[in-house]
């Protein structure tokens, strides 16, 4: 409390002294001019060519459209030997996987720091989530605590990989194997995790769910994938999805379908097909950009990466960072982060706050049964985390240097800006 009091009186003293009007939020010129940064999915003419190939095919849907089959084959090859089925979305892929394993038990163990789209399918499948806190340095589910939760009524573990991170969770995977609990990996943000990333081998998992939506690496619109070694799970995609017309083209109506119609969008598939050819270069450039940016801003006090940007296995969908508010003279909680985000955004840096609440708060079916207080690591990250987007090509080293210049400008100005943080805090 004392700290807050001195913070407040300091702040009012400073506000009399100087207000830094060079920062863009208070009228200065932004470091990055509008239009300078290319926003993902980085549209280009080649995408029009891909879309035209669907029009020329004369067929705008079908799960066995040649373009979809080609894409499935190419992704299978890129993954290094998994079987692949394209579906309507990443969420659909998670649902198909959970639906397949739902008879093994009634619960799914998953992280409290999670994407609602990953967790929603747990209830859709008639299952209940058990939430686990995260490891603060990875933002992935805590390996040891999760391993201790595999009771006999647990059907599966849903391991969500965020921002391009790889959640290896070796203890959890071993414990799940020993107990016959299904391992489902949500790699919607970490496409690289479908390849050999554990000393050259694949993750020990039963199924990987991938998204091809416009914000993800394949930047394709609306699309998802189920990747597995289990041929019955591949068949299960059609059982959950197809109501009419079998995969081989026969005009039938399935007697058993669950009827979700999770068909892949063929237009999106055409774009994903094009992008997959250049995926290795894309990943390389994302990693290089994040690494370079961190080299430029890593010495700033009170700033930390969520995971090691020099790890060449991660997929770096975005570059996630954390603020350490106390180190910057701010009270704990989200205020420092929220204020710094506004300052950086005004300078033209594409920084964003991700979710601000644990995932159960977003889901009416499970809200109320769980308390934020039980997930201190997740809460700390949710209060302090943000990410730099637009680290994909064609954005290059020059753009990263502009981002870095804006960070340095804001950090230099921060001591004179503390009085400007929102009233709620100054009054706290
Ligand atoms: C995007 C995403 C999903 C859902 O994918 P959609 O294709 O948008 O349905 C699921 N989980 C995570 C972690 C995601 O980032």
């Amino acid at each position: 409390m004392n700290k807050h009091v001195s913070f407040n009186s300091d702040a009012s003293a400073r506000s009399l002294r100087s207000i830094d009007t060079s920062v863009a939020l208070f009228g200065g010129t932004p470091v990055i001019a509008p239009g300078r940064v290319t926003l993902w999915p980085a549209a280009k003419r080649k995408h029009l060519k891909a879309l035209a190939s669907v029009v020329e095919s004369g067929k705008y849907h079908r799960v066995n459209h040649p373009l979809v089959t080609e894409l499935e084959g190419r992704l299978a090859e890129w993954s290094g030997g998994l079987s692949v089925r394209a579906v309507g979305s990443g969420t659909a892929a998670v649902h198909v996987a959970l639906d397949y394993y739902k008879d093994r038990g009634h619960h799914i163990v998953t992280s409290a720091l999670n994407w609602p789209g990953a967790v929603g399918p747990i209830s859709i499948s008639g299952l209940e989530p058990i939430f686990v806190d995260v490891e603060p340095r990875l933002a992935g589910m805590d390996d040891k605590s999760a391993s201790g939760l595999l009771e006999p009524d647990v059907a599966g573990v849903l391991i969500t990989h965020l921002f391009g991170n790889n959640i290896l969770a070796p203890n959890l995977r071993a414990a799940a194997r020993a107990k016959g609990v299904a391992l489902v990996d949500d790699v919607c943000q970490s496409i690289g995790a479908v390849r050999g990333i554990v000393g050259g081998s694949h993750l020990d998992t039963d199924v990987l769910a991938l998204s091809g939506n416009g914000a993800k690496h394949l930047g394709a619109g609306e699309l998802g994938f189920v990747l597995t070694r289990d041929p019955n799970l591949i068949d299960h995609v059609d059982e959950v999805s197809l109501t009419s017309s079998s995969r081989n083209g026969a005009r039938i109506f399935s007697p058993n379908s669950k009827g979700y119609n999770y068909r892949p969008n063929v237009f999106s598939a055409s774009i994903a097909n094009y992008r997959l050819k250049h995926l290795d270069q894309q990943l390389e450039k994302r990693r290089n950009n994040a690494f370079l940016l961190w080299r430029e801003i890593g010495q700033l006090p009170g700033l930390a990466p969520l995971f090691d940007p020099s790890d060449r296995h991660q997929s770096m969908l975005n570059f996630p960072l954390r603020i350490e508010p106390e180190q910057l003279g701010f009270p704990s909680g989200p205020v420092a982060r929220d204020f710094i985000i506004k300052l950086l955004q005004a300078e033209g840096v594409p920084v964003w706050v991700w979710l601000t609440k644990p995932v159960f708060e977003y889901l009416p079916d499970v809200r109320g049964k769980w308390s934020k207080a039980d997930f201190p690591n997740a809460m700390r990250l949710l209060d302090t985390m943000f990410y730099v987007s637009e680290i994909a090509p064609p954005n290059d080293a020059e753009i990263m240097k502009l981002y870095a210049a804006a960070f340095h400008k804001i950090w230099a100005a921060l001591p004179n800006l503390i009085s400007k943080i929102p009233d709620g805090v100054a009054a706290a």
Side-chain angles (χ1 to χ4, degrees), residues 89-91 115 117-118 160-162 186 188-189 211-213 216 223:
S89 67
T91 308
W115 181 243
T160 309
H161 304 239
L162 293 174
D186 176 342
C188 289
Q189 299 190 14
S211 170
N213 91 21
K216 312 291 162 75
L223 196 63

Side-chain angles (χ1 to χ4, degrees), residues 77-89:
E77 193 182 318
W78 192 81
S79 76
L82 300 176
S83 298
V84 176
R85 200 63 107 208
V87 292
S89 67

Side-chain angles (χ1 to χ4, degrees), residues 168-187:
L168 303 183
N171 296 299
L172 175 60
R173 289 178 200 276
R177 285 288 175 240
K179 296 187 172 181
V181 169
L183 285 160
V184 179
D185 280 88
D186 176 342
V187 296

Side-chain angles (χ1 to χ4, degrees), residues 82-369:
L82 300 176
S83 298
V84 176
R85 200 63 107 208
V87 292
S89 67
T91 308
V94 175
H95 179 208
V96 169
L98 294 179
D99 187 83
Y100 184 69
Y101 293 112
K102 67 175 190 286
D103 296 335
R104 292 195 186 180
H106 185 59
H107 288 102
I108 298 289
V109 172
T110 197
S111 165
L113 185 83
N114 219 318
W115 181 243
V119 176
I122 297 175
S123 306
I124 304 176
S125 306
L127 301 166
E128 269 186 68
I130 296 176
F131 293 105
V132 197
D133 207 0
V134 291
E135 295 192 33
R137 299 241 147 237
L138 284 174
M141 120 157 93
D142 187 87
D143 187 26
K144 294 239 165 67
S145 355
S147 322
L149 291 171
L150 304 185
E151 303 294 333
D153 67 341
V154 171
V157 182
L158 175 62
I159 302 174
T160 309
H161 304 239
L162 293 174
F163 311 113
N165 201 357
N166 297 319
I167 308 302
L168 303 183
N171 296 299
L172 175 60
R173 289 178 200 276
R177 285 288 175 240
K179 296 187 172 181
V181 169
L183 285 160
V184 179
D185 280 88
D186 176 342
V187 296
C188 289
Q189 299 190 14
S190 294
I191 193 167
V194 309
R195 294 183 123 174
I197 54 166
V198 190
S201 323
H202 283 89
L203 283 173
D204 181 12
T205 184
D206 291 306
V207 54
L208 301 128
L210 179 66
S211 170
N213 91 21
K216 312 291 162 75
H217 293 88
L218 290 175
E222 299 293 352
L223 196 63
F225 302 89
V226 174
L227 297 99
T228 181
R229 292 189 189 288
D230 181 349
N232 295 325
L233 175 45
I234 290 289
D235 288 345
H236 196 69
V237 173
D238 287 354
E239 279 165 41
V240 176
S241 294
L242 295 186
T243 44
S244 67
S245 297
S246 71
R247 182 160 286 275
N248 66 19
R251 301 294 172 97
I252 54 158
F253 288 85
S254 161
N256 297 317
S257 171
K258 293 178 203 292
Y260 282 92
N261 274 339
Y262 288 154
R263 290 186 304 253
N265 180 314
V266 181
F267 288 94
S268 295
S270 74
I271 299 222
N273 226 336
Y274 168 76
R275 258 209 239 272
L276 196 46
K277 292 178 202 160
H278 309 280
L279 185 57
D280 287 321
Q281 292 100 304
Q282 184 200 132
L283 286 169
E284 178 78 4
K285 287 188 177 149
R286 285 176 178 275
R287 289 169 184 143
N288 288 346
N289 278 342
F291 184 72
L292 188 96
L293 177 57
W294 183 243
R295 213 177 56 198
E296 300 277 326
I297 63 174
Q299 69 280 29
L300 295 174
L303 190 64
L306 209 60
F307 56 90
D308 182 3
S310 62
D311 170 359
R312 307 295 297 183
H313 284 304
Q314 42 70 12
S315 303
M316 215 42 108
L317 183 64
N318 295 299
F319 185 18
L321 296 159
R322 279 185 301 122
I323 294 288
E324 282 161 359
E326 298 84 352
Q327 270 194 40
L328 291 169
F330 284 85
S332 60
V335 184
R337 187 265 320 268
D338 293 348
F339 184 50
I340 288 170
I341 285 289
K342 273 202 198 130
L343 289 162
L344 287 168
Q345 282 176 340
E347 300 298 337
V349 189
V351 284
W352 306 98
V353 174
W354 195 59
L355 304 180
T356 53
K357 299 183 284 189
V359 70
F360 44 81
E361 298 280 339
Y362 296 88
L363 301 163
D365 288 345
V366 289
R367 190 188 300 149
K369 295 180 192 159

